[in-house]
Amino acid sequence: QVQVVESGGGLVQAGGSLRLSCTVSGSSFSIDHVDWYRQPPGKQRELVAGMPGSGVKSVTGRFTVSRENAKSAVILEIDSLNSEDTGTYYCNVRGLRNIRGTLLQFNLWGQGTQVTVSS
């Protein structure tokens, strides 16, 4: 099956930058869209930034979503980190998978990667 895994989180200092990765693995699938979400403790998940599956780079304020072809990964770059960026970051991948000639839609979430910004 198609799998989604986030990585790159950890304890970081305010004012710095952070790079998170979302790797998608499997077979016979195509990606329609990738979104990054952030969920602070005790709060709902909120959309941070996203990009169509065919995209190369998308910039939204302090957030940049890009594709790293060599590693088959989608990258989220966060600049000027602050305490509001603390939370668990999830990668949501929507696409199609070809199973025995039939195209099936999928909507998958990774396990999340924790980000804690210290001031």
Side-chain angles (χ1 to χ4, degrees):
Q1 295 181 341
V2 180
Q3 296 181 349
V4 180
V5 179
E6 304 95 338
S7 62
L11 178 63
V12 295
Q13 294 184 350
S17 299
L18 184 65
R19 178 181 181 273
L20 305 178
S21 297
C22 173
T23 60
V24 185
S25 62
S27 62
S28 302
F29 71 91
S30 62
I31 299 175
D32 293 332
H33 199 91
V34 177
D35 283 322
W36 281 94
Y37 286 78
R38 177 180 61 204
Q39 184 171 22
K43 300 179 63 177
Q44 295 183 337
R45 295 183 186 181
E46 59 182 356
L47 178 66
V48 175
M51 182 177 67
S54 60
V56 177
K57 178 179 292 186
S58 178
V59 180
T60 304
R62 300 182 295 112
F63 307 96
T64 300
V65 180
S66 61
R67 184 171 61 205
E68 191 176 61
N69 292 327
K71 298 184 178 181
S72 300
V74 176
I75 308 300
L76 174 66
E77 299 176 22
I78 309 175
D79 296 324
S80 302
L81 288 161
N82 59 68
S83 60
E84 299 296 322
D85 296 320
T86 293
T88 303
Y89 285 74
Y90 296 90
C91 179
N92 174 239
V93 181
R94 305 193 302 273
L96 297 172
R97 184 166 62 173
N98 190 328
I99 303 180
R100 297 183 300 276
T102 300
L103 295 178
L104 302 177
Q105 298 180 3
F106 67 85
N107 186 330
L108 299 175
W109 296 83
Q111 83 290 346
T113 183
Q114 305 275 13
V115 174
T116 302
V117 181
S118 63
S119 59

